[in-house]
Amino acid sequence: MTGDCLYDVLILGYGPVGATMANLLGQEGHRVAVAEMHPEVFEKPRAVNLDQEALRLFQRVGLAEQISNGCVPHFGTNFLGADGELIKAIYSAPPPYPLGWPANLMFIQPEAERLLRKRVETLDSVDVRLEHTANAFEQTGDVVAVSFDTPSGTRTVRARYLVGCDGANSPTREWMGATQTDLGFSEHYVVVDAWITRDTPLPSRTTQYCYPDAPTSYVICSGNLRRWELKILPGERVDDYNDLSRIKTRLAPFVEVDALKFWRSAVYHFDARVADAWRKGRAFLAGDAAHTMPPFLGQGLNSGLRDAANLSWRLTYVLRGMADETLLQSYQTERRPHILAVTEITKDLGKIVGETDPARATDRDQRLRAEMAENGPVTVRQALIPPIAKGFLDKVGGELAGTLAPQPRVSRDGESRLLDDLMSGFSMVQLAPGDKLLAVTNDLETGSSTAFTCHDTEGLLTGSMRDRGIKMMIVRPDGVIWSAGGDPVDVIERLYAAFTKPVPESCP
Ligand SMILES: Cc1cc2nc3c(=O)[nH]c(=O)nc-3n(C[C@H](O)[C@H](O)[C@H](O)COP(=O)(O)OP(=O)(O)OC[C@H]3O[C@@H](n4cnc5c(N)ncnc54)[C@H](O)[C@@H]3O)c2cc1C
């Protein structure tokens, strides 16, 4: 698809969020252009940790198996105080995994991005435009037009919607005039990725050395790849770390440096910002364009993928004429408060790690040890991620509305599948006798509904519904529960009304 065509969606930025968005929209048959200024995938990893939600999303685009193949489980993180003893421990949730995928996996970002792009190439309705640098934006009537500098001159791409997945310095955000709220975190770290080349003593868990004289993170990555994040100390300059010998000196207390083969090092400014408006007319922000946060809980990309999951089905419903544009407004209503909550947690962890004042570090250690004594020694990572509090949810949908629906492995007609593979659009799931589920799911293309029964092989969803006294739930296309409990006829009526008589929402 080339020339002067009008795309349904132009995705600006072909990083991991843009590539996921291109897959999600392209597989629905929308005419999508995805434009990127660089010719290739950025070869250096930033994100290393994928959540279960991200894997569930990759399942929707048929890539979860491939992406998880090269991954290793994340076993959690120990935080060591100034005296080198434990002050906090975060673990990943153990099996059975409620969303159908391991709670956390360590992955190699460029490899995952290549898989995402390879799949985009199989989608006829998606045009990829590399070496396109956006330089001007315009919105007139129902069309957004973006002009690009390309090796063969200026090109303009027109679309009904624009999604800016164009990173922390987002030109889309700038054009939208969206201000950012500074959430109050600003620290510089040098990030070092290296392979271990021989046996050498290292912790068996990812470790935060919360030492006031040298805050350092040690991250166990995929294969024999390891990451260290070294806080740039008061009085040091960023440029001091251009020199590998300075990096080696900082690493020496934590690892036998001659056991390492260095891949790369780079200084990052870890900050926390959120865009105040995620939408202007027909343009949206997603991923780092909408929010940045320090990486201490590995949530930047995972949050960007939540954005893609949340926005893509809304665009699909609107583009298909199955919902009106007010549905798009609840994207920000849902995602921005979620980001604020997740960012607070990551900031708190960052402050624990990065404390450089010895007296405050001592207070911190006492406080965290007291918390461990009171609450138990372990924080479960997944329990830190909040549900959606407000947005396109059934207003009387019960306390599970806004949480993620469990995804069981089911057998249907003798075949074992994860439940999402059998669902499409908004789906109703009902308890049926004998650990069975009755699901009604609608085909987004034809609008027709299909009902089927399946056996919840391990009783994951049936057990959870029974424990909560719930007989039915409505699950959105992004796996979020729209409503749980109640009378199916009433709930379906409310869902129908939500689409046909939408209530306009105002955004912060
Ligand atoms: C050290 C570190 C560790 C991290 N660890 C984790 C982790 O473990 N887990 C996690 O979830 N997150 C982590 N993150 C965060 C994560 O890396 C980012 O949130 C994620 O990569 C952002 O993806 P994105 O697609 O939104 O943006 P980007 O990857 O920045 O992609 C934006 C794209 O837009 C393109 N672009 C920009 N301007 C233009 C233009 N004018 N024209 C055309 N194209 C343009 C860029 O070239 C780029 O390809 C970490 C970050 C850092 C720095």
Side-chain angles (χ1 to χ4, degrees), residues 164-224:
C165 303
D166 43 1
N169 299 317
S170 168
T172 305
R173 189 183 64 231
E174 193 176 316
W175 162 70
M176 283 167 54
T179 51
Q180 289 176 286
T181 297
D182 183 342
L183 300 173
F185 194 93
S186 176
E187 296 187 356
H188 286 87
Y189 277 72
V190 56
V191 175
V192 183
D193 289 325
W195 291 278
I196 39 175
T197 56
R198 61 168 169 78
D199 283 349
T200 186
L202 281 168
S204 58
R205 279 161 54 77
T206 287
T207 302
Q208 303 286 1
Y209 301 98
C210 309
Y211 300 167
D213 59 344
T216 301
S217 307
Y218 163 66
V219 185
I220 302 174
C221 302
S222 186
N224 58 356

Short mmCIF file of all heavy atoms in Angstrom, two decimals, residues 164-224:
data_model
loop_
_atom_site.label_atom_id
_atom_site.label_comp_id
_atom_site.label_asym_id
_atom_site.label_seq_id
_atom_site.Cartn_x
_atom_site.Cartn_y
_atom_site.Cartn_z
N GLY A 164 1.43 8.16 18.61
CA GLY A 164 2.83 8.51 18.82
C GLY A 164 3.46 7.54 19.80
O GLY A 164 3.25 7.62 21.00
N CYS A 165 4.21 6.58 19.23
CA CYS A 165 4.99 5.64 20.07
C CYS A 165 6.45 6.04 19.90
O CYS A 165 7.32 5.19 19.69
CB CYS A 165 4.78 4.20 19.60
SG CYS A 165 3.07 3.66 19.58
N ASP A 166 6.68 7.35 19.94
CA ASP A 166 7.97 7.88 19.50
C ASP A 166 8.89 8.25 20.65
O ASP A 166 9.73 9.14 20.53
CB ASP A 166 7.76 9.06 18.54
CG ASP A 166 6.66 10.01 18.99
OD1 ASP A 166 6.07 9.77 20.05
OD2 ASP A 166 6.40 10.99 18.29
N GLY A 167 8.73 7.55 21.77
CA GLY A 167 9.76 7.59 22.81
C GLY A 167 9.71 8.82 23.70
O GLY A 167 8.86 9.71 23.57
N ALA A 168 10.67 8.86 24.61
CA ALA A 168 10.66 9.86 25.69
C ALA A 168 10.70 11.30 25.17
O ALA A 168 10.16 12.20 25.81
CB ALA A 168 11.84 9.60 26.62
N ASN A 169 11.35 11.52 24.02
CA ASN A 169 11.42 12.89 23.49
C ASN A 169 10.36 13.11 22.41
O ASN A 169 10.55 13.93 21.50
CB ASN A 169 12.81 13.17 22.92
CG ASN A 169 13.86 13.04 24.00
OD1 ASN A 169 13.67 13.52 25.12
ND2 ASN A 169 14.96 12.37 23.69
N SER A 170 9.30 12.40 22.51
CA SER A 170 8.22 12.33 21.51
C SER A 170 7.93 13.63 20.75
O SER A 170 7.42 14.61 21.32
CB SER A 170 6.95 11.90 22.24
OG SER A 170 5.83 12.06 21.42
N PRO A 171 8.21 13.66 19.44
CA PRO A 171 7.77 14.81 18.66
C PRO A 171 6.25 14.91 18.57
O PRO A 171 5.71 16.01 18.45
CB PRO A 171 8.40 14.58 17.28
CG PRO A 171 8.88 13.17 17.25
CD PRO A 171 9.02 12.71 18.67
N THR A 172 5.56 13.77 18.65
CA THR A 172 4.09 13.82 18.63
C THR A 172 3.59 14.60 19.85
O THR A 172 2.71 15.46 19.74
CB THR A 172 3.49 12.40 18.66
OG1 THR A 172 4.04 11.65 17.59
CG2 THR A 172 1.98 12.42 18.55
N ARG A 173 4.18 14.27 21.00
CA ARG A 173 3.75 14.95 22.24
C ARG A 173 4.00 16.45 22.14
O ARG A 173 3.15 17.27 22.52
CB ARG A 173 4.51 14.35 23.43
CG ARG A 173 3.99 14.82 24.78
CD ARG A 173 4.83 14.25 25.92
NE ARG A 173 6.19 14.74 25.87
CZ ARG A 173 7.28 13.97 25.92
NH1 ARG A 173 7.17 12.67 26.07
NH2 ARG A 173 8.49 14.50 25.84
N GLU A 174 5.15 16.79 21.58
CA GLU A 174 5.48 18.21 21.45
C GLU A 174 4.48 18.91 20.55
O GLU A 174 3.95 19.97 20.88
CB GLU A 174 6.90 18.33 20.89
CG GLU A 174 7.45 19.73 21.01
CD GLU A 174 8.88 19.78 20.54
OE1 GLU A 174 9.67 18.87 20.89
OE2 GLU A 174 9.19 20.70 19.79
N TRP A 175 4.18 18.27 19.41
CA TRP A 175 3.22 18.88 18.48
C TRP A 175 1.84 19.00 19.14
O TRP A 175 1.14 20.00 18.96
CB TRP A 175 3.13 18.03 17.20
CG TRP A 175 1.90 18.32 16.42
CD1 TRP A 175 1.63 19.47 15.73
CD2 TRP A 175 0.75 17.48 16.29
NE1 TRP A 175 0.38 19.38 15.16
CE2 TRP A 175 -0.18 18.17 15.49
CE3 TRP A 175 0.43 16.21 16.76
CZ2 TRP A 175 -1.41 17.63 15.15
CZ3 TRP A 175 -0.79 15.66 16.42
CH2 TRP A 175 -1.70 16.38 15.63
N MET A 176 1.45 17.99 19.91
CA MET A 176 0.15 18.04 20.58
C MET A 176 0.10 19.17 21.61
O MET A 176 -0.97 19.56 22.07
CB MET A 176 -0.12 16.71 21.32
CG MET A 176 -0.54 15.57 20.41
SD MET A 176 -0.49 13.94 21.24
CE MET A 176 -1.48 14.19 22.69
N GLY A 177 1.27 19.66 22.00
CA GLY A 177 1.32 20.68 23.04
C GLY A 177 1.02 20.10 24.41
O GLY A 177 0.60 20.81 25.33
N ALA A 178 1.25 18.77 24.55
CA ALA A 178 0.94 18.12 25.83
C ALA A 178 2.08 18.39 26.81
O ALA A 178 3.23 18.02 26.55
CB ALA A 178 0.76 16.62 25.63
N THR A 179 1.75 19.04 27.90
CA THR A 179 2.76 19.26 28.93
C THR A 179 2.99 17.94 29.68
O THR A 179 2.19 17.01 29.58
CB THR A 179 2.29 20.32 29.93
OG1 THR A 179 0.97 19.95 30.35
CG2 THR A 179 2.26 21.70 29.28
N GLN A 180 4.09 17.90 30.43
CA GLN A 180 4.37 16.71 31.23
C GLN A 180 4.42 17.10 32.71
O GLN A 180 4.95 18.17 33.04
CB GLN A 180 5.73 16.12 30.87
CG GLN A 180 5.79 15.46 29.51
CD GLN A 180 7.21 15.02 29.23
OE1 GLN A 180 8.08 15.83 28.96
NE2 GLN A 180 7.45 13.73 29.33
N THR A 181 3.91 16.23 33.56
CA THR A 181 4.09 16.45 34.99
C THR A 181 5.35 15.73 35.42
O THR A 181 5.54 14.54 35.11
CB THR A 181 2.87 15.91 35.77
OG1 THR A 181 1.73 16.66 35.37
CG2 THR A 181 3.07 16.06 37.27
N ASP A 182 6.21 16.48 36.08
CA ASP A 182 7.44 15.89 36.61
C ASP A 182 7.07 15.22 37.94
O ASP A 182 6.62 15.87 38.87
CB ASP A 182 8.47 17.01 36.83
CG ASP A 182 9.80 16.48 37.30
OD1 ASP A 182 9.84 15.32 37.79
OD2 ASP A 182 10.80 17.21 37.19
N LEU A 183 7.25 13.91 37.99
CA LEU A 183 6.81 13.16 39.17
C LEU A 183 7.91 13.05 40.24
O LEU A 183 7.78 12.30 41.20
CB LEU A 183 6.32 11.77 38.76
CG LEU A 183 5.13 11.81 37.78
CD1 LEU A 183 4.79 10.41 37.27
CD2 LEU A 183 3.90 12.43 38.42
N GLY A 184 8.99 13.79 40.03
CA GLY A 184 9.95 13.95 41.12
C GLY A 184 10.95 12.83 41.26
O GLY A 184 11.06 12.24 42.34
N PHE A 185 11.64 12.51 40.20
CA PHE A 185 12.76 11.58 40.31
C PHE A 185 13.77 11.99 39.25
O PHE A 185 13.41 12.19 38.09
CB PHE A 185 12.30 10.13 40.08
CG PHE A 185 13.32 9.10 40.50
CD1 PHE A 185 13.28 8.55 41.77
CD2 PHE A 185 14.34 8.72 39.64
CE1 PHE A 185 14.23 7.62 42.18
CE2 PHE A 185 15.29 7.79 40.03
CZ PHE A 185 15.23 7.24 41.31
N SER A 186 15.01 12.11 39.63
CA SER A 186 16.02 12.52 38.66
C SER A 186 17.39 12.03 39.14
O SER A 186 17.99 12.64 40.02
CB SER A 186 16.01 14.05 38.51
OG SER A 186 17.04 14.45 37.63
N GLU A 187 17.82 10.90 38.59
CA GLU A 187 19.13 10.37 38.98
C GLU A 187 19.82 9.82 37.74
O GLU A 187 19.15 9.35 36.81
CB GLU A 187 18.97 9.27 40.03
CG GLU A 187 18.36 9.80 41.33
CD GLU A 187 18.33 8.77 42.46
OE1 GLU A 187 18.72 7.62 42.23
OE2 GLU A 187 17.90 9.15 43.56
N HIS A 188 21.14 9.88 37.74
CA HIS A 188 21.89 9.33 36.61
C HIS A 188 22.56 8.02 37.01
O HIS A 188 23.17 7.94 38.09
CB HIS A 188 22.96 10.33 36.14
CG HIS A 188 22.38 11.49 35.40
ND1 HIS A 188 21.92 12.62 36.04
CD2 HIS A 188 22.16 11.68 34.07
CE1 HIS A 188 21.44 13.46 35.13
NE2 HIS A 188 21.57 12.92 33.93
N TYR A 189 22.42 7.04 36.16
CA TYR A 189 23.07 5.74 36.37
C TYR A 189 23.83 5.37 35.11
O TYR A 189 23.37 5.66 33.99
CB TYR A 189 22.02 4.64 36.63
CG TYR A 189 21.55 4.55 38.07
CD1 TYR A 189 20.71 5.52 38.61
CD2 TYR A 189 21.93 3.47 38.87
CE1 TYR A 189 20.27 5.41 39.93
CE2 TYR A 189 21.48 3.36 40.18
CZ TYR A 189 20.66 4.33 40.71
OH TYR A 189 20.22 4.23 42.01
N VAL A 190 24.95 4.70 35.31
CA VAL A 190 25.60 4.09 34.16
C VAL A 190 25.18 2.61 34.14
O VAL A 190 25.22 1.93 35.16
CB VAL A 190 27.15 4.28 34.16
CG1 VAL A 190 27.78 3.76 35.42
CG2 VAL A 190 27.79 3.61 32.96
N VAL A 191 24.68 2.20 32.99
CA VAL A 191 24.17 0.83 32.84
C VAL A 191 25.19 0.03 32.04
O VAL A 191 25.59 0.43 30.94
CB VAL A 191 22.80 0.86 32.13
CG1 VAL A 191 22.29 -0.55 31.86
CG2 VAL A 191 21.79 1.63 32.97
N VAL A 192 25.62 -1.09 32.62
CA VAL A 192 26.68 -1.90 32.01
C VAL A 192 26.11 -3.29 31.73
O VAL A 192 25.63 -3.95 32.65
CB VAL A 192 27.88 -2.04 32.97
CG1 VAL A 192 29.01 -2.82 32.32
CG2 VAL A 192 28.36 -0.69 33.46
N ASP A 193 26.15 -3.71 30.48
CA ASP A 193 25.74 -5.08 30.14
C ASP A 193 26.99 -5.86 29.77
O ASP A 193 27.82 -5.39 28.97
CB ASP A 193 24.78 -5.07 28.95
CG ASP A 193 23.42 -4.50 29.33
OD1 ASP A 193 22.98 -4.74 30.48
OD2 ASP A 193 22.80 -3.81 28.51
N ALA A 194 27.12 -7.05 30.35
CA ALA A 194 28.32 -7.86 30.09
C ALA A 194 27.96 -9.34 30.19
O ALA A 194 27.02 -9.71 30.90
CB ALA A 194 29.40 -7.52 31.11
N TRP A 195 28.70 -10.15 29.45
CA TRP A 195 28.52 -11.61 29.54
C TRP A 195 29.53 -12.16 30.54
O TRP A 195 30.70 -11.72 30.53
CB TRP A 195 28.75 -12.27 28.19
CG TRP A 195 27.69 -11.95 27.19
CD1 TRP A 195 26.47 -12.54 27.07
CD2 TRP A 195 27.76 -10.96 26.15
NE1 TRP A 195 25.77 -11.97 26.03
CE2 TRP A 195 26.53 -11.00 25.45
CE3 TRP A 195 28.72 -10.03 25.75
CZ2 TRP A 195 26.25 -10.17 24.37
CZ3 TRP A 195 28.45 -9.20 24.69
CH2 TRP A 195 27.22 -9.28 24.01
N ILE A 196 29.11 -13.13 31.35
CA ILE A 196 30.10 -13.79 32.19
C ILE A 196 30.72 -14.91 31.36
O ILE A 196 30.02 -15.69 30.71
CB ILE A 196 29.52 -14.30 33.52
CG1 ILE A 196 28.12 -14.90 33.35
CG2 ILE A 196 29.50 -13.24 34.57
CD1 ILE A 196 27.58 -15.51 34.62
N THR A 197 32.02 -14.96 31.37
CA THR A 197 32.73 -15.88 30.47
C THR A 197 33.28 -17.10 31.19
O THR A 197 33.82 -18.00 30.56
CB THR A 197 33.91 -15.14 29.79
OG1 THR A 197 34.74 -14.60 30.83
CG2 THR A 197 33.41 -14.03 28.89
N ARG A 198 33.19 -17.12 32.50
CA ARG A 198 33.65 -18.30 33.25
C ARG A 198 32.93 -18.32 34.60
O ARG A 198 32.27 -17.34 34.97
CB ARG A 198 35.16 -18.25 33.46
CG ARG A 198 35.64 -17.06 34.26
CD ARG A 198 37.10 -17.22 34.68
NE ARG A 198 37.67 -16.01 35.21
CZ ARG A 198 37.46 -15.52 36.43
NH1 ARG A 198 36.64 -16.14 37.27
NH2 ARG A 198 38.05 -14.40 36.83
N ASP A 199 33.07 -19.45 35.30
CA ASP A 199 32.47 -19.52 36.63
C ASP A 199 33.06 -18.44 37.51
O ASP A 199 34.28 -18.24 37.54
CB ASP A 199 32.77 -20.88 37.27
CG ASP A 199 31.87 -21.96 36.68
OD1 ASP A 199 30.92 -21.59 35.96
OD2 ASP A 199 32.14 -23.15 36.93
N THR A 200 32.18 -17.75 38.19
CA THR A 200 32.65 -16.69 39.07
C THR A 200 31.57 -16.46 40.12
O THR A 200 30.38 -16.60 39.82
CB THR A 200 32.94 -15.39 38.26
OG1 THR A 200 33.51 -14.43 39.12
CG2 THR A 200 31.72 -14.82 37.59
N PRO A 201 31.95 -16.18 41.36
CA PRO A 201 30.92 -16.05 42.40
C PRO A 201 30.05 -14.81 42.19
O PRO A 201 30.58 -13.70 42.08
CB PRO A 201 31.73 -15.94 43.70
CG PRO A 201 33.13 -15.70 43.31
CD PRO A 201 33.32 -16.03 41.87
N LEU A 202 28.75 -15.05 42.09
CA LEU A 202 27.78 -13.95 41.94
C LEU A 202 26.51 -14.36 42.69
O LEU A 202 26.24 -15.55 42.84
CB LEU A 202 27.45 -13.73 40.46
CG LEU A 202 28.47 -12.93 39.64
CD1 LEU A 202 28.17 -13.03 38.16
CD2 LEU A 202 28.50 -11.47 40.08
N PRO A 203 25.71 -13.40 43.12
CA PRO A 203 24.47 -13.76 43.83
C PRO A 203 23.54 -14.57 42.93
O PRO A 203 23.54 -14.40 41.71
CB PRO A 203 23.84 -12.41 44.17
CG PRO A 203 24.94 -11.41 44.04
CD PRO A 203 25.90 -11.94 43.03
N SER A 204 22.74 -15.43 43.57
CA SER A 204 21.82 -16.26 42.79
C SER A 204 20.52 -15.50 42.48
O SER A 204 19.68 -15.99 41.74
CB SER A 204 21.50 -17.54 43.54
OG SER A 204 20.93 -17.20 44.79
N ARG A 205 20.35 -14.34 43.10
CA ARG A 205 19.17 -13.52 42.80
C ARG A 205 19.62 -12.11 42.40
O ARG A 205 20.69 -11.65 42.81
CB ARG A 205 18.27 -13.40 44.05
CG ARG A 205 17.36 -14.61 44.24
CD ARG A 205 16.83 -14.72 45.65
NE ARG A 205 16.15 -13.55 46.17
CZ ARG A 205 14.91 -13.16 45.85
NH1 ARG A 205 14.21 -13.86 44.99
NH2 ARG A 205 14.37 -12.09 46.39
N THR A 206 18.80 -11.48 41.61
CA THR A 206 19.06 -10.07 41.31
C THR A 206 19.19 -9.32 42.63
O THR A 206 18.44 -9.58 43.58
CB THR A 206 17.91 -9.54 40.43
OG1 THR A 206 18.07 -10.09 39.13
CG2 THR A 206 17.88 -8.03 40.35
N THR A 207 20.17 -8.42 42.69
CA THR A 207 20.50 -7.82 44.00
C THR A 207 20.65 -6.31 43.88
O THR A 207 21.32 -5.81 42.97
CB THR A 207 21.82 -8.43 44.53
OG1 THR A 207 21.63 -9.85 44.63
CG2 THR A 207 22.17 -7.88 45.90
N GLN A 208 20.00 -5.62 44.78
CA GLN A 208 20.18 -4.17 44.89
C GLN A 208 21.10 -3.92 46.07
O GLN A 208 20.72 -4.18 47.22
CB GLN A 208 18.83 -3.47 45.13
CG GLN A 208 17.77 -3.74 44.08
CD GLN A 208 18.02 -2.99 42.77
OE1 GLN A 208 19.02 -2.28 42.63
NE2 GLN A 208 17.13 -3.16 41.82
N TYR A 209 22.31 -3.47 45.78
CA TYR A 209 23.24 -3.13 46.85
C TYR A 209 22.95 -1.68 47.24
O TYR A 209 23.39 -0.75 46.55
CB TYR A 209 24.68 -3.26 46.37
CG TYR A 209 25.06 -4.65 45.88
CD1 TYR A 209 25.04 -4.96 44.52
CD2 TYR A 209 25.44 -5.64 46.78
CE1 TYR A 209 25.38 -6.23 44.07
CE2 TYR A 209 25.79 -6.91 46.34
CZ TYR A 209 25.75 -7.19 44.99
OH TYR A 209 26.09 -8.44 44.54
N CYS A 210 22.19 -1.51 48.32
CA CYS A 210 21.75 -0.16 48.69
C CYS A 210 22.82 0.47 49.58
O CYS A 210 22.55 0.86 50.72
CB CYS A 210 20.40 -0.22 49.39
SG CYS A 210 19.18 -1.18 48.47
N TYR A 211 24.03 0.51 49.06
CA TYR A 211 25.17 1.02 49.83
C TYR A 211 25.28 2.52 49.59
O TYR A 211 25.44 2.95 48.43
CB TYR A 211 26.48 0.35 49.36
CG TYR A 211 26.52 -1.16 49.51
CD1 TYR A 211 27.52 -1.91 48.89
CD2 TYR A 211 25.57 -1.84 50.28
CE1 TYR A 211 27.58 -3.29 49.03
CE2 TYR A 211 25.62 -3.22 50.42
CZ TYR A 211 26.62 -3.94 49.79
OH TYR A 211 26.67 -5.30 49.91
N PRO A 212 25.24 3.33 50.63
CA PRO A 212 25.24 4.78 50.39
C PRO A 212 26.49 5.28 49.68
O PRO A 212 26.43 6.30 49.00
CB PRO A 212 25.12 5.37 51.80
CG PRO A 212 25.32 4.26 52.76
CD PRO A 212 25.08 2.98 52.05
N ASP A 213 27.60 4.57 49.81
CA ASP A 213 28.81 5.06 49.13
C ASP A 213 28.88 4.57 47.68
O ASP A 213 29.72 5.04 46.92
CB ASP A 213 30.08 4.64 49.88
CG ASP A 213 30.19 3.13 50.03
OD1 ASP A 213 29.16 2.43 49.83
OD2 ASP A 213 31.29 2.64 50.32
N ALA A 214 27.98 3.65 47.26
CA ALA A 214 28.04 3.14 45.88
C ALA A 214 26.78 2.36 45.53
O ALA A 214 26.82 1.14 45.36
CB ALA A 214 29.27 2.25 45.70
N PRO A 215 25.63 3.03 45.42
CA PRO A 215 24.41 2.29 45.07
C PRO A 215 24.58 1.56 43.73
O PRO A 215 24.98 2.18 42.74
CB PRO A 215 23.35 3.39 44.96
CG PRO A 215 23.87 4.52 45.79
CD PRO A 215 25.37 4.46 45.62
N THR A 216 24.30 0.27 43.75
CA THR A 216 24.58 -0.57 42.58
C THR A 216 23.50 -1.63 42.45
O THR A 216 23.13 -2.27 43.43
CB THR A 216 25.96 -1.27 42.77
OG1 THR A 216 26.96 -0.27 42.93
CG2 THR A 216 26.31 -2.16 41.58
N SER A 217 23.03 -1.83 41.22
CA SER A 217 22.08 -2.92 40.97
C SER A 217 22.79 -4.00 40.19
O SER A 217 23.55 -3.71 39.26
CB SER A 217 20.90 -2.44 40.11
OG SER A 217 20.31 -1.31 40.68
N TYR A 218 22.51 -5.25 40.55
CA TYR A 218 23.02 -6.39 39.79
C TYR A 218 21.80 -7.16 39.28
O TYR A 218 20.95 -7.57 40.08
CB TYR A 218 23.88 -7.28 40.70
CG TYR A 218 24.11 -8.66 40.14
CD1 TYR A 218 24.85 -8.85 38.98
CD2 TYR A 218 23.57 -9.79 40.78
CE1 TYR A 218 25.04 -10.13 38.46
CE2 TYR A 218 23.76 -11.06 40.27
CZ TYR A 218 24.50 -11.23 39.10
OH TYR A 218 24.68 -12.48 38.59
N VAL A 219 21.71 -7.32 37.98
CA VAL A 219 20.50 -7.91 37.39
C VAL A 219 20.89 -9.17 36.61
O VAL A 219 21.75 -9.12 35.72
CB VAL A 219 19.81 -6.91 36.43
CG1 VAL A 219 18.49 -7.48 35.92
CG2 VAL A 219 19.57 -5.58 37.13
N ILE A 220 20.25 -10.28 36.97
CA ILE A 220 20.51 -11.53 36.24
C ILE A 220 19.63 -11.52 35.00
O ILE A 220 18.40 -11.52 35.09
CB ILE A 220 20.18 -12.75 37.13
CG1 ILE A 220 21.03 -12.70 38.40
CG2 ILE A 220 20.40 -14.05 36.35
CD1 ILE A 220 20.69 -13.77 39.42
N CYS A 221 20.26 -11.48 33.84
CA CYS A 221 19.50 -11.42 32.59
C CYS A 221 19.49 -12.78 31.92
O CYS A 221 19.89 -13.78 32.51
CB CYS A 221 20.12 -10.37 31.66
SG CYS A 221 20.17 -8.73 32.39
N SER A 222 19.06 -12.78 30.70
CA SER A 222 18.92 -14.02 29.94
C SER A 222 20.30 -14.65 29.66
O SER A 222 21.28 -13.92 29.45
CB SER A 222 18.23 -13.64 28.64
OG SER A 222 17.94 -14.73 27.90
N GLY A 223 20.39 -15.98 29.66
CA GLY A 223 21.65 -16.66 29.35
C GLY A 223 22.74 -16.23 30.32
O GLY A 223 22.52 -16.12 31.52
N ASN A 224 23.93 -15.98 29.78
CA ASN A 224 25.00 -15.54 30.69
C ASN A 224 25.19 -14.02 30.66
O ASN A 224 26.25 -13.50 31.02
CB ASN A 224 26.32 -16.27 30.38
CG ASN A 224 26.76 -16.05 28.96
OD1 ASN A 224 26.04 -15.40 28.19
ND2 ASN A 224 27.92 -16.56 28.59
#
